[in-house]
C-alpha cells in the first residue's frame, strides 16, 4: 500500500524549508537522518545544514555541509560542490578557524571558476571584493562587485542583486565615496524593507547595513535600520516585541552582565540574527541616552548571539562598559571592558576614559595612543577613529598637554571635513574638541565652536554629549563674565545628567552651580590638601607650593604623600588628572 507523499518526512521538511520554517525542517531531517538506512540527497543535506544553523546547531550545520559537499562531488555536480565549499568557508571563518576557511575558499574557486557564468560565482566575486578592499585596492574590489551585479542580473535573483548592491556600497564607503556608497546601500535596503529577500540575506543585510552606518557615522540611518531590524527579528507567535523581557529599563546592578557569553542553542523558532541585531541596537540606545535599556539589551544580546558571532557580544560588553563608566560604576565598567577585550575587541577609548576617571593619567594616554596607532587608516570605521581622537583631546587636556590636545582636535576636524557630504555626528565631535581646546588656551573664540557643537548634538538627539558641551559652555561664559548664561547652561546640564543617571557629572554640575563653597572635597581630601593639589595641577614644584602657602617643603612632601595615598595615585601627573576630572582646578 503506497504512502501518501504528505507523510514523507523529507518532503515535509522540504516544504518547511521553502516556508523558512527552519525549526520544523531541522526536527524532521535530523530525526530522519538518525536512521542509517534512510539516506539524504546532497540537496537535502544542504537543507539540513541551513536548518541546523537557523536552529542554533552550528556544529551540526558544518557536519551536514561537509556531507553535502561529498555528495555533490560524487555526483560530479561542481556548482553544488562549489556553493557548499563557499558556505563551509563562511562558517569556518565565523568559528575562528581561518586555515580551514582558506582551504574551503580555495576549493570553492576550484569548483566554480572554470564553469560558464552561474549564480554561485556571485559569492566568489563578493569574497574577492572583500579581500581587495581589505588591502586598499578599491578599483579591483569595485570590478569584482560589478561582475557580481552582472551575474545577479543574468540569473534574476533578488537575493544576489541586493547582496551585490551592498557589496559595492561597502567598497565605495571604504574608498571615501560616501554619497555614492550610501545611495547604493539604500537601494539594497529597499529590497529588505519590501520583504523581497530570503531570511538569510535579509539578516545579512541588516547586520552589514547597521555596521556600515555606524562606521560611516550616519546616525540617522543607524537608528532607522536598527528599529527595522529588531522588528524583523520579533517572533510573531508571541504577540510582543523581542525585547520585552529586557525592557524593564532599570538594569539593576544586582543583575550583572554575564561573566562570559555562553554558546547557546537558539530555541525552536528563534531568529539567530536577533542577538546580533540587538547588539547593534545597544550602541544606538546608548547614544540616545536610554542607558538602562541599553544595558539590559546588552545583557540579553550576550545571551543570544550565536557562537559564530561573538564579536557582537564583544560590542555589547563594550557599550555596557561605557554606560557603567558614565554612571560612576567604575568597577563594573572595568569588568565589562575586560570581557570585550577577551572576545577580541580593543576596549578603547572607553578604557582610557575609565583610567582617567580613576586618576591613572599615564594609562589613559598610553591606551588611547596605542589604539590610534592601530587605526591608522581613516577610511575604515570613521566613527571609531573620530571617537579615539575626541578621547585623545580630553585625555591630553586632563594632563595639561594642550599642544597634544590641539593636534588631536585638528586631526578630528580634518577627518570631519574630509567626509564626502555633511556628517553631523563627526561635525559635532570635532566642534566639541575644537571648543574645549580653545577654552583651555583661554582664547575668546571658544564659544562659537561650542555653540555649533551643542546645536549638532541637540539635532542628533544625543543628550549626554550635549550636556557635556553645556558644561564647557558654562566655563566659557564665566570666563567672558556672563554668570547668568553660565548658570543656565549648568542647570540644564545637571538636569540631563540626573535624568540619565550620570551621577559623577550631575554632582560636578551641582558643585559648579553652588560655586563649590560648601561641597565636600573628593577622595577625603582636607582643605589644605586640596590647595596643595590645585598648585600641583597648575605645574608648581614643591618649592613653588611651599612659597605660595608659606609652609616648608617637607610639609608639602608630607601633604603629597597623603594625597597620593587617599586618591590611589602614584605620580603628580595622575594627581593632576584626578584634580581636573573632579573640578578641583
Amino acid at each position: 500500500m503506497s504512502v501518501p507523499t504528505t507523510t514523507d518526512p523529507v518532503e515535509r521538511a522540504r516544504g518547511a524549508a521553502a516556508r523558512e520554517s527552519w525549526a520544523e525542517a531541522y526536527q524532521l531531517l535530523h530525526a530522519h537522518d538518525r536512521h542509517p538506512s534512510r539516506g539524504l540527497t546532497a540537496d537535502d543535506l544542504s537543507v539540513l545544514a541551513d536548518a541546523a544553523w537557523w536552529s542554533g546547531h552550528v556544529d551540526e550545520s558544518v557536519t551536514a555541509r561537509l556531507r553535502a559537499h561529498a555528495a555533490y562531488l560524487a555526483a560530479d555536480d561542481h556548482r553544488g560542490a562549489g556553493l557548499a565549499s563557499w558556505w563551509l568557508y563562511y562558517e569556518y571563518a565565523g568559528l575562528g578557524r581561518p586555515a580551514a576557511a582558506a582551504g574551503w575558499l580555495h576549493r570553492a574557486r576550484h569548483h566554480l571558476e572554470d564553469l560558464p557564468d552561474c549564480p554561485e560565482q556571485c559569492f566568489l566575486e563578493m569574497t574577492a571584493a572583500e579581500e581587495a578592499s581589505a588591502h586598499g585596492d578599491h578599483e579591483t574590489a569595485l570590478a569584482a562587485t560589478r561582475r557580481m551585479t552582472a551575474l545577479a542580473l543574468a540569473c534574476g535573483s533578488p537575493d544576489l542583486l541586493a547582496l551585490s548592491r551592498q557589496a559595492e556600497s561597502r567598497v565605495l564607503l571604504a574608498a571615501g565615496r560616501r554619497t555614492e556608497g550610501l545611495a547604493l546601500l539604500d537601494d539594497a535596503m529597499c529590497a529588505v524593507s519590501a520583504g523581497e529577500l530570503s531570511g538569510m540575506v535579509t539578516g545579512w543585510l541588516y547586520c552589514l547595513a547597521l555596521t556600515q552606518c555606524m562606521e560611516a557615522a550616519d546616525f540617522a540611518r543607524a537608528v532607522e535600520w536598527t528599529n527595522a531590524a529588531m522588528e524583523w527579528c520579533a517572533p510573531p507567535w508571541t504577540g510582543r516585541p523581542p525585547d520585552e523581557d529586557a525592557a524593564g529599563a532599570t538594569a539593576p546592578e544586582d543583575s550583572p552582565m554575564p561573566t562570559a557569553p555562553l554558546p547557546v542553542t537558539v530555541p525552536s523558532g528563534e531568529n539567530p540574527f536577533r542577538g546580533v541585531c540587538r547588539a547593534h541596537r545597544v550602541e544606538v540606545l546608548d547614544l540616545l541616552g536610554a542607558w538602562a535599556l541599553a544595558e539590559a539589551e546588552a545583557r540579553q544580546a550576550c545571551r543570544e548571539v550565536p557562537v559564530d558571532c561573538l564579536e557582537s557580544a564583544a560590542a555589547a560588553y563594550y557599550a555596557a562598559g561605557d554606560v557603567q563608566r558614565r554612571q560612576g560604576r567604575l568597577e563594573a565598567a572595568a569588568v565589562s571592558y575586560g570581557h570585550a577585550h577577551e572576545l577580541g575587541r580593543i576596549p578603547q577609548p572607553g578604557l582610557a576614559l575609565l583610567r582617567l576617571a580613576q586618576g591613572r593619567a599615564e594609562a589613559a594616554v598610553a591606551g588611547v595612543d596605542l589604539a590610534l596607532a592601530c587605526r591608522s587608516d581613516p577610511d575604515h570605521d570613521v566613527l571609531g577613529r573620530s571617537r579615539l581622537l575626541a578621547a585623545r583631546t580630553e585625555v591630553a587636556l586632563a594632563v595639561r598637554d594642550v599642544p597634544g590636545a590641539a593636534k588631536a582636535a585638528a586631526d578630528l576636524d580634518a577627518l570631519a571635513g574630509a567626509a564626502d557630504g555633511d556628517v553631523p555626528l563627526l561635525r559635532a565631535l570635532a566642534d566639541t574638541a575644537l571648543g574645549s581646546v580653545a577654552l583651555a588656551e583661554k582664547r575668546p573664540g571658544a564659544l562659537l565652536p561650542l555653540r555649533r557643537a551643542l546645536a549638532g548634538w541637540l539635532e542628533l538627539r544625543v543628550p549626554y554629549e550635549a550636556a557635556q558641551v553645556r558644561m564647557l559652555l558654562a566655563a566659557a561664559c564665566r570666563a567672558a563674565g556672563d554668570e547668568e548664561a553660565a548658570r543656565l547652561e549648568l542647570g540644564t546640564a545637571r538636569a540631563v545628567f540626573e535624568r540619565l543617571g550620570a551621577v559623577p557629572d550631575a554632582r560636578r554640575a551641582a558643585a559648579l552651580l553652588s560655586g563649590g563653597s560648601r561641597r565636600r572635597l573628593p577622595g577625603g581630601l582636607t582643605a589644605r590638601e586640596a590647595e596643595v593639589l590645585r598648585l600641583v595641577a597648575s605645574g608648581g614644584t614643591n618649592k613653588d607650593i611651599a612659597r605660595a602657602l608659606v609652609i616648608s617643603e617637607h610639609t608639602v612632601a608630607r601633604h603629597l604623600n597623603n594625597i597620593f595615598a587617599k586618591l590611589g595615585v602614584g605620580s603628580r601627573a595622575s594627581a593632576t588628572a584626578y584634580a581636573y576630572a573632579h573640578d578641583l582646578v
Side-chain angles (χ1 to χ4, degrees), residues 374-553:
C374 293
R375 292 199 188 192
S376 57
D377 181 5
D379 292 334
H380 176 69
D381 192 4
V382 174
L383 180 58
R385 182 167 177 82
S386 298
R387 284 172 161 167
L388 285 169
L389 288 168
R392 182 67 178 88
T393 305
E394 183 176 346
V395 169
L397 289 175
V399 298
R400 299 176 60 79
D401 177 14
V402 177
K407 171 67 166 59
D411 289 347
L412 179 51
D413 185 42
L415 192 59
D420 178 14
D422 183 44
V423 190
L425 187 53
L426 294 187
R427 189 70 263 157
L429 279 168
D431 285 338
T432 303
L434 292 170
S436 64
V437 170
L439 186 61
E441 294 175 338
K442 300 181 180 179
R443 288 193 276 114
L447 280 170
L448 181 59
L450 289 175
R451 292 204 182 282
R452 283 201 312 260
L454 178 60
W457 292 122
L458 291 175
E459 182 180 353
L460 289 165
R461 299 184 182 181
V462 178
Y464 179 76
E465 281 73 10
Q468 290 279 41
V469 172
R470 288 189 187 278
M471 298 288 282
L472 295 169
L473 274 170
C477 289
R478 274 186 171 163
D482 191 346
E483 181 64 25
E484 183 179 4
R487 294 185 67 81
L488 284 172
E489 298 293 359
L490 288 171
T492 304
R494 178 186 180 182
V496 172
F497 289 142
E498 288 176 345
R499 176 174 60 81
L500 292 173
V503 176
D505 293 294
R507 288 175 179 164
R508 185 161 58 100
L512 290 171
L513 269 171
S514 66
S517 58
R518 293 183 300 277
R519 67 170 173 149
R520 180 178 298 174
L521 292 168
L525 295 174
T526 66
R528 175 62 87 180
E529 287 166 351
E531 285 183 296
V532 171
L533 181 55
R534 289 188 188 100
L535 292 169
V536 168
S538 298
T541 64
N542 284 14
K543 181 181 290 188
D544 296 331
I545 297 167
R547 185 181 303 113
L549 299 180
V550 196
I551 57 178
S552 69
E553 288 187 51

Side-chain angles (χ1 to χ4, degrees), residues 150-163:
L151 289 167
L153 288 170
C155 69
S157 167
D159 275 357
L160 294 176
L161 184 59
L163 280 175

